Amino acid sequence: AAIASTGCTTTNTAATLPPPSIEIAKSDYILGNSDQLDIRVWRNPELSVSLPVRPDGKISLPLAGEVVAAGKSTTELTEDLVEKHSVYIKTPQVTVIVTDPQSADFLQRVRITGAISNPMSTPWRSGMTVLDLVLLSGGTTEFASENTAFLYRKHEGSVKKYPIYLEDILRKGLLDTNYALAPSDIITVPERLF
C-alpha cells in the first residue's frame, strides 16, 4: 500500500551547504598608495627613513632614488632596496616595516546593506560573525525578509553566495548560518514582498 501525503514543507538548506571558509591572507602585505613605511638600513642611520607611498606608487630614498612600491609585497620591496643599496654598500641589510597600512582600510572592512536599521561599512575584526554585524547595524527593519539574506564572499577571483537565515538566528537561536566573517564580506537583507 502506498501512502501519499500532501502539504507544504520548508527546508532549511543551510545544513546541506558547507559553511563558507575563511581564507585570510597570511602572505606578505601588498603595498598601496598612502601606506606609511619605515625603512631601515642597518648601520646606516642616514639612509633610514619614514615616508609614505606617494600617489604615483613610488617612494624616494636618499641613495636608492625613486623606487616603485605600490603593488609589491614588503618582501619584494626589501629585495629591490637591497639590490639598489648593494651598488654602494657591501651586503646591505634592509628592513621594510608598514607603520600605517592606509591602503588596506577598505580591503579590511565588512558591509551590510538592505532592510537594516543602519546600513554600514565597518572595519573587520577577528572573530566577527553575521550576528555581530547585524547587531552593530541596529538590527533589521520591520520590512526585512530575514530568512532570505545572503553573504557574498570573494573567493579565488569569483564571488560566492551563501544563504543566511537571520530569522532563525535572531528569533530561534539557530546558529547554523551565523558565519564567521572575513574581510570584504557583504551581507544583504532584502525587503519582503507585499
Side-chain angles (χ1 to χ4, degrees):
I3 299 175
S5 68
T6 60
C8 181
T9 60
T10 59
T11 58
N12 184 333
T13 59
T16 60
L17 291 174
S21 62
I22 297 180
E23 293 180 14
I24 298 163
K26 300 209 180 341
S27 60
D28 250 349
Y29 177 78
I30 302 299
L31 299 167
N33 297 354
S34 302
D35 284 345
Q36 186 70 32
L37 307 180
D38 191 23
I39 298 173
R40 300 285 166 218
V41 183
W42 188 60
R43 289 192 171 170
N44 291 277
E46 68 282 359
L47 301 177
S48 299
V49 294
S50 291
L51 72 170
V53 177
R54 298 189 319 238
D56 64 359
K58 296 179 180 178
I59 56 175
S60 298
L61 299 168
L63 200 55
E66 301 278 308
V67 179
V68 174
K72 293 182 178 177
S73 69
T74 52
T75 300
E76 290 169 330
L77 180 59
T78 300
E79 290 168 356
D80 287 355
L81 295 178
V82 166
E83 183 180 326
K84 287 190 176 282
H85 283 94
S86 64
V87 173
Y88 307 100
I89 302 169
K90 185 179 180 181
T91 321
Q93 294 183 21
V94 180
T95 304
V96 176
I97 300 168
V98 181
T99 56
D100 187 5
Q102 290 191 15
S103 69
D105 184 42
F106 284 95
L107 297 174
Q108 295 292 319
R109 297 180 82 77
V110 288
R111 295 153 180 92
I112 187 165
T113 64
I116 291 292
S117 298
N118 182 29
M120 65 188 313
S121 171
T122 189
W124 172 83
R125 295 175 198 94
S126 181
M128 183 180 267
T129 66
V130 167
L131 180 57
D132 293 323
L133 190 55
V134 170
L135 294 176
L136 278 173
S137 67
T140 59
T141 68
E142 61 185 301
F143 305 109
S145 177
E146 294 174 333
N147 270 1
T148 60
F150 284 96
L151 165 68
Y152 295 88
R153 175 168 294 164
K154 291 179 185 174
H155 179 71
E156 296 179 357
S158 64
V159 177
K160 302 280 186 186
K161 182 178 172 182
Y162 300 94
I164 299 173
Y165 301 102
L166 279 178
E167 182 178 349
D168 294 352
I169 294 171
L170 296 169
R171 317 249 183 282
K172 300 176 185 174
L174 300 175
L175 302 177
D176 294 349
T177 61
N178 185 31
Y179 306 124
L181 297 178
S184 297
D185 278 356
I186 298 172
I187 294 173
T188 60
V189 183
E191 288 189 344
R192 289 193 312 263
L193 299 175
F194 293 97

